[in-house]
Amino acid sequence: MAQRTESSIVIPASPAAVLDVVADVASYPEWTPEIRSVEVLSEDDGWAEQVRFSLEAGPVKDTYTLAYDWDVDEDGAGTVSWHLVEGGVLKAMDGSYLLERVDGGTKVTYALGVDVRLPMLGAMKRAAEKRIVEGALQGLAGRVRG
């Protein structure tokens, strides 16, 4: 899975405020249109370690489990990354949020790579990734702004 979709947005809030929303994995269905349900399977010190999601993003529909890695500073800057542990249609899903303090708030860069078991044109996979990334960034910004 060499190709990834990446996009960024600047949110007028501190990295800590953005991280609070990112870390509240259970609330993703409230602000991410493609996420239908979430079940946190395990945590470490309040950080989600493994999470089961139900996703509907255009042609990609699946229930899958992700493992998270939280490499963030006390001020909230850093990287939250994940990789697929188990999926049905999905055979790979690797992604990350990079949170960087910038003038005017926090620059959030979302990178996502998806691969599926079904035959699917690369353009369709990229379109699904783009839909997930753009929807998540807009939803994240809206949720942080409250």
Side-chain angles (χ1 to χ4, degrees):
M1 182 178 54
Q3 291 188 335
R4 292 167 57 107
T5 298
E6 185 174 299
S7 188
S8 299
I9 190 170
V10 174
I11 299 174
S14 70
V18 175
L19 181 61
D20 284 348
V21 174
V22 170
D24 186 9
V25 178
S27 73
Y28 282 18
E30 297 172 19
W31 57 268
T32 307
E34 289 75 23
I35 302 292
R36 301 297 185 221
S37 66
V38 173
E39 179 184 1
V40 177
L41 303 175
S42 63
E43 293 183 346
D44 181 27
D45 271 343
W47 300 100
E49 281 187 316
Q50 287 205 1
V51 181
R52 181 176 299 126
F53 292 90
S54 177
L55 170 81
E56 289 185 29
V60 180
K61 294 177 177 69
D62 201 6
T63 297
Y64 58 92
T65 302
L66 298 179
Y68 279 82
D69 181 39
W70 302 86
D71 185 14
V72 292
D73 297 332
E74 283 188 29
D75 72 350
T79 304
V80 178
S81 58
W82 56 88
H83 67 273
L84 185 71
V85 174
E86 180 182 19
V89 173
L90 294 173
K91 68 177 182 180
M93 179 181 263
D94 299 308
S96 63
Y97 282 114
L98 172 61
L99 308 178
E100 301 173 280
R101 182 178 298 282
V102 296
D103 287 342
T106 303
K107 179 180 178 184
V108 181
T109 302
Y110 185 0
L112 183 67
V114 174
D115 202 359
V116 294
R117 298 184 194 285
L118 305 172
M120 185 181 290
L121 296 174
M124 289 178 70
K125 283 192 275 190
R126 299 292 83 75
E129 287 174 357
K130 182 175 177 155
R131 181 175 171 179
I132 293 168
V133 167
E134 294 300 328
L137 285 174
Q138 294 303 315
L140 176 61
R143 183 75 170 202
V144 170
R145 290 180 189 127

